[in-house]
Amino acid sequence: MNRRHAALLLALPLAAWAQEAPSWKFSGYGTVGVAHSDNRQADYLIDEFKPNGPGYTRSWSPDVDSRLGLQLSAQFTPTLSAVVQVLSKQDENNSYRPELEWANVRWQPTPEFSLRAGRIVLPVFMVTDTRWVGYSNPWVRPPVEMYAMVPVSHNDGVDASYRLELGSAANTFQLTAGTWKHDFPTATGYGGGTAKARDIVAFIDTLETGPLSLRLSLGRANLEIPQFSQFTDAFAAFGPLGQGLADRYFPSTMRLRYVGLGATYDPGRWFAMGEWGRFDTRSILGTKVAWYGSAGYRLGKFTPYVSYARASVDSPTSDPGIPLTGLPPPIAAGAAALNGALNQTLNLLPRQRTVSVGARWDFAKNAALKVQYDHVDLDAGSTGTFGNIQPGFQPGGRVGIFSAVVDFVF
Amino acid sequence: MNAMQLKRFLAGLALAGVSWSAVAQDVVPVVGAKSPIASLDAAQVADIFLGKTSRFPDGSIALPVDQQEESPLRERFYAQFAGKSPAQVKAYWSKIIFTGRGQPPRQAADSIEVKRIVTNNPHAIGYIDASQVDASVRVLAAR
């Protein structure tokens, strides 16, 4: 019997199973929430795409967590399906314009093997792919230290997944390749324009056995931020040393690398999980390292939890820049301004730790209420993951964030 | 329950072919009487219903049939076999549905439909209350 026959035989019981083809399913998820910061001198931002948040812009903000996702999935034949998901959340233009999160076609000739093509989420870390599906996660939101780290969210391309069952354990390999692009408004630190990530290749291996799940994730991409060229040119004007700085901090193509290791243990009554990741950009965006640990205990419909998360930087957060000695005064002033901008940007690389305590209450069949308090402790001199920093903000200080959300699915 | 009622109850159980151990077990996983599958352990049953595997241990395709979401039987089944509350099961499937990786098991209207499906499809596996077991289905022995 050749392989094709084997696949057909496998499909037979599934074909008999399909009630009617094609079948369509409409579903959705969402969160309604507010977050409050006790520091009015900066905004609490959960990633680089958020234009504002609680703190400076407003004391209480609904924009941190509120969102709505709608999904349509279709099963055309027993082996061919498709999914389209649209997500509305606060974007960098401060609007809730819906974006196409995923749109892909999936071919699954056997239960263990699948191929997808289209817009696919790039599952960088353990909960990247369910980051916005609040209902599926224990917390109000995944630890910012880890999940603000890699700004690339989805991938236009292909992915292949293969599950190997080894007795009571299952190992899933996933390989993804594609491209990503993102339009930045001029108001952001990126200076407007379209950032493009090409040659994205990611590999994920997940081993599950009973309540234990282990995950390894490796990825690379080439990122271009066209607005960087103005800095490249500015530094390059200062001779070989300036050129060296331009190459180090503003390469025309940034070679991104990341690695993530994660583990979850969930026997039912309680859970514990931890994750470590490193994101290397070889550019002004630095080399970031983050990890967190989290645990919770289920008491009926209540699940209290605690988390500790740490973000640090494994690359310089300051640079002497262009030597000013011997430069004619007007040129020295220009060089000093460039050095200042370089160091200001390097110092934005987040270094902070957060202790979170919270609880989830599954008060209805499809909905959960969560409250969470985050105690954010910034490293000396760092403004952490905060944005819209005002002159009165104390780098290295402490900030308290209170959040309350209702997550739902339908 | 007086002696007479107890006697009638026991007779009823005997008629239904139910053993005391099954009554104590309450909710039982079933396949069709003609299915080659005879036994599974609780973790294997849970893996099939949670989509962690698509096959029985002998390699044949397994097609799980769920009870209705509001059914207390379903709540007892997931508590007993997977150690998960209804909210945990829903959160688990939310992860899979909204990442486009799959859909939860097909739902039958009631235990009668579960029995009809497993009787007609040798790949199907369901669960019913032990009191509803009859000759059309086989209760999977715990390993």
Side-chain angles (χ1 to χ4, degrees):
Chain A
M1 186 165 66
N2 66 30
R3 293 183 74 87
R4 186 185 296 176
H5 286 131
L8 279 174
L9 279 180
L10 284 174
L12 269 178
L14 293 170
W17 189 243
Q19 285 158 305
E20 63 240 28
S23 68
W24 299 83
K25 266 206 176 99
F26 177 71
S27 45
Y29 61 87
T31 298
V32 178
V34 287
H36 168 78
S37 169
D38 65 10
N39 188 315
R40 297 303 306 266
Q41 299 298 319
D43 282 342
Y44 181 65
L45 305 181
I46 59 164
D47 63 39
E48 294 178 41
F49 298 150
K50 289 283 187 189
N52 55 54
Y56 167 68
T57 303
R58 50 177 72 171
S59 174
W60 289 83
S61 170
D63 299 321
V64 183
D65 302 297
S66 299
R67 66 190 88 94
L68 180 68
L70 300 175
Q71 178 170 303
L72 186 65
S73 52
Q75 188 79 40
F76 301 114
T77 72
T79 57
L80 194 66
S81 60
V83 63
V84 174
Q85 189 182 111
V86 171
L87 175 62
S88 165
K89 60 177 166 52
Q90 184 201 29
D91 62 19
E92 52 275 72
N93 297 307
N94 205 23
S95 91
Y96 278 77
R97 201 169 67 94
E99 282 199 46
L100 189 63
E101 185 74 352
W102 307 324
N104 58 69
V105 177
R106 183 182 195 221
W107 180 59
Q108 190 175 20
T110 78
E112 289 79 20
F113 179 73
S114 77
L115 279 178
R116 292 192 289 187
R119 178 163 292 182
I120 305 157
V121 84
L122 188 66
V124 177
F125 297 125
M126 210 153 56
V127 298
T128 300
D129 54 357
T130 55
R131 186 178 169 192
W132 308 118
V133 189
Y135 187 87
S136 70
N137 293 320
W139 329 277
V140 164
R141 66 188 81 85
V144 167
E145 281 75 7
M146 187 109 201
Y147 285 87
M149 195 157 67
V150 180
V152 175
S153 58
H154 47 221
N155 178 24
D156 293 330
V158 291
D159 95 338
S161 163
Y162 180 70
R163 185 170 67 190
L164 183 67
E165 288 174 16
L166 312 142
S168 61
N171 190 78
T172 307
F173 306 96
Q174 189 185 341
L175 193 63
T176 299
T179 61
W180 172 86
K181 67 176 193 174
H182 193 86
D183 297 320
F184 288 100
T186 23
T188 65
Y190 294 96
T194 302
K196 288 184 188 123
R198 298 178 211 274
D199 311 317
I200 301 173
V201 179
F203 170 77
I204 301 110
D205 185 36
T206 311
L207 180 70
E208 289 172 287
T209 173
L212 180 68
S213 174
L214 301 170
R215 187 180 190 275
L216 165 71
S217 165
L218 298 168
R220 50 152 292 164
N222 292 326
L223 180 67
E224 286 170 28
I225 299 180
Q227 288 64 34
F228 274 16
S229 64
Q230 54 190 309
F231 298 103
T232 316
D233 298 345
F235 277 99
F238 291 91
L241 217 133
Q243 184 66 53
L245 289 167
D247 292 345
R248 186 188 313 161
Y249 291 116
F250 303 99
S252 57
T253 301
M254 284 176 256
R255 292 183 296 142
L256 313 183
R257 300 279 184 278
Y258 69 77
V259 55
L261 288 170
T264 306
Y265 190 78
D266 187 347
R269 283 305 297 270
W270 56 281
F271 69 87
M273 60 195 289
E275 205 173 1
W276 174 90
R278 181 185 159 94
F279 181 48
D280 183 358
T281 70
R282 302 171 196 208
S283 75
I284 188 88
L285 303 181
T287 297
K288 301 174 191 177
V289 178
W291 67 270
Y292 69 86
S294 184
Y297 189 81
R298 299 188 177 98
L299 296 154
K301 294 182 187 303
F302 292 91
T303 310
Y305 57 85
V306 291
S307 304
Y308 178 85
R310 176 85 175 106
S312 50
V313 174
D314 199 13
S315 57
T317 53
S318 66
D319 193 294
I322 304 156
L324 304 180
T325 45
L327 292 177
I331 297 171
L338 266 180
N339 289 346
L342 173 68
N343 279 288
Q344 212 177 347
T345 311
L346 285 173
N347 195 46
L348 288 178
L349 293 171
R351 288 148 283 150
Q352 68 184 37
R353 62 200 81 203
T354 298
V355 174
S356 306
V357 291
R360 171 184 176 133
W361 174 32
D362 285 286
F363 68 93
K365 204 180 69 175
N366 289 338
L369 170 74
K370 294 170 187 165
V371 291
Q372 182 171 317
Y373 181 77
D374 301 297
H375 178 83
V376 187
D377 188 357
L378 304 170
D379 285 19
S382 179
T383 52
T385 54
F386 290 80
N388 298 327
I389 309 285
Q390 302 306 302
F393 188 78
Q394 287 290 323
R398 289 168 186 170
V399 183
I401 309 291
F402 172 79
S403 315
V405 299
V406 171
D407 294 315
F408 56 90
V409 289
F410 58 90
Chain B
M1 194 183 274
N2 62 34
M4 191 63 186
Q5 279 174 313
L6 182 64
K7 229 183 219 172
R8 234 183 265 153
F9 179 67
L10 289 173
L13 284 178
L15 270 178
V18 176
S19 71
W20 275 111
S21 66
V23 173
Q25 237 184 343
D26 203 10
V27 44
V28 290
V30 291
V31 291
K34 287 179 202 137
S35 163
I37 309 300
S39 67
L40 286 178
D41 64 35
Q44 289 170 323
V45 173
D47 283 355
I48 290 171
F49 277 86
L50 294 173
K52 290 183 177 178
T53 180
S54 308
R55 296 178 192 278
F56 290 112
D58 71 356
S60 62
I61 298 279
L63 301 171
V65 190
D66 237 336
Q67 296 274 359
Q68 289 292 305
E69 205 176 327
E70 300 73 24
S71 133
L73 191 60
R74 174 156 156 171
E75 188 174 336
R76 292 207 304 272
F77 172 75
Y78 282 102
Q80 190 174 323
F81 286 84
K84 288 189 192 296
S85 69
Q88 283 171 266
V89 174
K90 194 168 257 304
Y92 171 85
W93 279 109
S94 300
K95 264 186 208 293
I96 292 170
I97 293 167
F98 294 116
T99 51
R101 283 184 281 139
Q103 291 289 339
R106 168 182 177 181
Q107 281 182 33
D110 52 26
S111 293
I112 295 167
E113 198 189 350
V114 170
K115 288 194 273 187
R116 189 179 58 73
I117 292 169
V118 299
T119 309
N120 292 336
N121 190 328
H123 293 276
I125 171 172
Y127 56 88
I128 57 176
D129 195 276
S131 66
Q132 290 176 298
V133 170
D134 60 31
S136 69
V137 298
R138 177 188 305 136
V139 175
L140 291 176
R143 276 202 181 160

